[in-house]
């Protein structure tokens, strides 16, 4: 009741800050430990350059595993919350059980890919034997022990569906800390642990994920008392699974587009491994900045959606206004950090031969953050006002339709050296500006059709 009153009565400007800060911090933590992972690998005594390149090549598959797990979790979250709202505890138990059945299926697919598909995938992006072997070793470990990230994603959403997001955040923090602590121990060989190099980074990652999943399993069983638990509820129900993916599939597609974009960019940059590595490193920095926008978006959407359900025109307008203002402020801060300190990030990663390409990418692509952030905010607004199609179109424009053909065309004009590769980097700001203009047109249309007609 208190939460409902807050959503109804608290000034939107204050409510968005109160709801947004925990979500922003959670997303920032997730991005930070990706950066830390690369920083430890980049400072290995032997083969650091090849290891960084290998991590760049495996990243799209890691993102795809997360996309499928999180998307399934998003569908489960919404369906479970709605079912509990209907006080149908029997169906709620089926929804939770079927999500775990789907988790088993997802894990089996990841396992099979880890055993049979990894080498073919990595070899499609590189001809360097050292990078190939490191990439295969790292990705195989991540796929074979992927049950950690799959079930963490599901248990996180099961807890959020019952209003226990605090506990899912605890699980995420514990996993991140385990990963960060184990990284130097297993990569460099500290104490009784042998030096494992890039394999150590993979084991640290999956152990952190498993720790998170186990902790959230305990929280789920102990705290989610609104419905029953048990293996019998995991029996697949086609209707429930269809309902889960009716909600979750768009989320999977949106996140999978990111994976496809990174993979194709790796192929475009295949002619220069240093540029390829630079892009992979920059993408992790970019994730940190854009995750701030994603965190705020996760506050924008429920605030505007609640106001839309109330038919409160003023609160919807305030949600749109403050959502965009706060996003712009965050993105200006992100641009300032990346434009002022690119050398510091390059040193953190020990970028080596990739340093100049990395700094060039930072200088050029960072300009796009302002427009990227606005596009993310637009998508949160669309989703709140039942504009799922508009949100999907923006994702397609940003991560597929404009960016990849443009980068491919620019690559035809590249000459040797950092200045030539910089031309490819300009595909990012151009894409985001065009998408932002399209997004503004969509926003005007949605406001006219769904907001302005309210009393």
């Amino acid at each position: 009741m208190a939460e409902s009153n807050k959503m109804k009565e608290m000034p939107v400007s204050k409510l968005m800050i109160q709801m947004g800060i925990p979500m922003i911090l959670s997303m920032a933590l997730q991005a930070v430990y990706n950066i830390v992972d690369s920083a430890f690998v980049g400072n290995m005594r032997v083969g650091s350059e090849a290891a960084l390149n290998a991590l760049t090549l495996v990243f799209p598959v890691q993102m795809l595993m997360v996309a499928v797990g999180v998307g399934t979790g998003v569908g489960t979250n919404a369906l479970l919350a709605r079912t509990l709202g209907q006080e149908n505890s029997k169906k709620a138990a089926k929804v939770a059980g079927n999500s775990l059945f789907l988790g088993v299926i997802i894990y089996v697919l990841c396992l099979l890919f880890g055993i049979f598909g990894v080498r073919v995938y990595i070899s499609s992006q590189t001809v360097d034997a050292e990078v190939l072997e490191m990439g295969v070793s790292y990705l195989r470990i991540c796929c074979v022990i992927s049950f950690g990230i799959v079930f963490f994603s599901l248990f996180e959403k099961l807890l959020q569906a019952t209003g226990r997001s605090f506990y899912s955040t605890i699980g995420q923090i514990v996993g991140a800390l385990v990963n960060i602590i184990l990284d130097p121990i297993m990569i460099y060989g500290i104490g009784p642990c042998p030096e494992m190099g890039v394999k150590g980074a993979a084991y640290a990652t999956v152990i952190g994920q498993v720790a998170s999943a186990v902790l959230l399993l305990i929280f789920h069983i102990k705290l989610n008392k609104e419905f029953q638990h048990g293996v019998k509820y995991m029996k697949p129900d086609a209707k429930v699974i269809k309902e889960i993916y009716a909600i979750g599939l768009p989320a999977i597609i949106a996140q999978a587009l990111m994976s496809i974009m990174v993979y194709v960019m790796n192929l475009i940059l295949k002619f220069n491994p240093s540029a390829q590595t630079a892009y992979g490193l920059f993408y992790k920095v970019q994730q940190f900045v854009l995750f701030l926008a994603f965190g705020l978006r996760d506050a924008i959407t429920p605030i505007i959606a609640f106001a839309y359900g109330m038919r409160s025109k003023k609160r919807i307008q305030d949600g749109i206004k403050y959502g965009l203002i706060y996003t712009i402020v965050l993105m200006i801060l992100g641009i300032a950090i990346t434009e002022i300190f690119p050398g510091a990030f390059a040193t953190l990663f020990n970028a080596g031969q990739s340093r100049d390409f990395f700094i060039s990418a930072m200088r050029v692509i960072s300009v796009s953050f302002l427009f990227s952030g606005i596009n993310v905010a637009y998508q949160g607004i669309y989703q709140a006002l039942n504009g799922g199609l508009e949100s999907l179109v923006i994702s397609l424009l940003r991560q597929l339709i404009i960016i990849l053909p443009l980068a491919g065309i620019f690559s035809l004009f590249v000459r040797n050296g950092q200045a030539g590769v910089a031309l490819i980097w300009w595909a990012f700001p151009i894409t985001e500006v065009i998408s932002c203009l399209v997004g503004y047109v969509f926003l005007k249309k949605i406001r006219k059709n769904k907001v302005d007609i309210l009393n």
Side-chain angles (χ1 to χ4, degrees), residues 114-134:
I115 296 170
F116 300 110
V118 165
R119 186 168 293 274
V120 173
Y121 166 77
I122 299 293
S123 62
S124 72
Q125 301 171 85
T126 185
V127 293
D128 186 304
E130 185 180 18
V131 172
L132 175 62
E133 291 308 316
M134 285 185 170

Side-chain angles (χ1 to χ4, degrees), residues 366-381:
S366 295
V367 174
S368 69
F369 288 162
L370 178 61
F371 305 99
S372 305
I374 292 172
N375 284 325
V376 170
Y378 280 162
Q379 290 179 285
I381 295 166

Side-chain angles (χ1 to χ4, degrees), residues 144-164:
V144 170
I145 315 180
S146 60
F147 56 84
I149 187 61
V150 171
F151 286 100
F152 165 75
S153 301
L154 295 175
F155 288 129
E156 177 187 41
K157 298 304 180 186
L158 287 170
L159 287 163
Q160 289 174 357
T162 57
R164 298 182 174 93

Side-chain angles (χ1 to χ4, degrees), residues 7 18 67 98 104-105 119 129 148 152 160 170 262 269 274 278 283 306 326-327 329 352 354 386 403 414 424 445:
M7 294 287 277
Q18 190 178 101
N98 271 249
V104 173
I105 299 299
R119 186 168 293 274
F152 165 75
Q160 289 174 357
I170 291 174
V262 175
L269 294 166
S274 294
Y283 193 84
F306 195 98
Y326 293 158
T327 298
V329 170
S354 305
N386 294 327
I403 180 68
V414 168
I424 297 175
K445 178 186 170 186

